[in-house]
Amino acid sequence: MNTPDKPAPPQSKPAGHGTRRDGQAAGRRATDSASSYEQLRELSAALQAIREEERTHIARELHDDLGQLLATLRVDLSLLQQQGPATPQAVRQMRSMDKLLQRAITSLRRIAADLRPHALDEGGLYYALQTLRQEFTQRHGIACQLDAHEQELVLDDRYSTAVFRIVQESLTNVSRHAGADHVWITLQRQDDRLDLTIEDNGRGISSADLNKAHSFGLLGMRERVWALDGAIDIQGRDSSGDGGTRIVIELPLPGN
């Protein structure tokens, strides 16, 4: 009597085969993740550059075209006021128009400066930071000290713009959240790098604030630093709630 054939036993896999395959898959995932992360960084840097170019273009259009137009209107109004006697009502209207034109010109200059600081193109980074410091103190009543040497801040436009925007964003955060009455900004050139420290004596940023997903100001600062292959450390208050906030940034200088 013929016995039915027994099914062949399953062939065993070589020892370590599954482990190697899993390790290779994990390695590919890690490589893909690192590649995607690097691409996002490059995209972020490209978007930052495009945005700065657009800001510069719009600021120049506002300053050169609209600013010139408003200035011309004010001159024409001044000439009109000098032409013979006018009724009291006409005089009041012209004075009111002159005040409105002054306000429009002032607002236009402020908006253009926020888009692209004219001082950055005219006098360089040091002059732009001094102007930013003065305007910050006048607008918010917060003392601001800049410790830097002009000759150490002669940088190309990319670096100058990045440093200016980082300081600008830091001061914006101080005015909105810190409750400080003094800010210290220090820039020092160390051979092949630029050290930037921004410190205030306010309530200090908390760990929860540092880890907020929607802290776009902090995120923007980090992205600007990382785009230049730099390092940033944001130090918040201590356990007692004292100490203010201290931002320490190291940027490798171009050409090194």
Side-chain angles (χ1 to χ4, degrees), residues 19 32 34 36 69-70 103-104 142 159 165 169 180 197 207-208 238:
T19 303
D32 292 343
S36 298
L69 177 60
L70 289 174
R103 288 174 56 187
I142 302 173
Y159 272 71
R165 292 300 185 195
E169 185 60 46
T197 303
S207 299
D238 57 28

Side-chain angles (χ1 to χ4, degrees), residues 78-134:
S78 177
L79 293 174
L80 182 62
Q81 290 174 323
Q82 298 173 16
Q83 291 181 1
T87 65
Q89 182 179 0
V91 171
R92 287 194 300 270
Q93 287 179 334
M94 285 188 287
R95 287 176 179 172
S96 177
M97 291 171 62
D98 187 56
K99 290 180 180 179
L100 288 174
L101 281 171
Q102 289 185 52
R103 288 174 56 187
I105 292 171
T106 301
S107 297
L108 177 65
R109 288 174 178 170
R110 175 179 54 79
I111 294 169
D114 287 342
L115 286 169
R116 171 70 181 185
H118 198 52
L120 196 58
D121 297 321
E122 277 193 338
L125 178 57
Y126 180 81
Y127 178 55
L129 290 176
Q130 286 285 15
T131 302
L132 178 64
R133 177 191 66 80
Q134 294 169 2

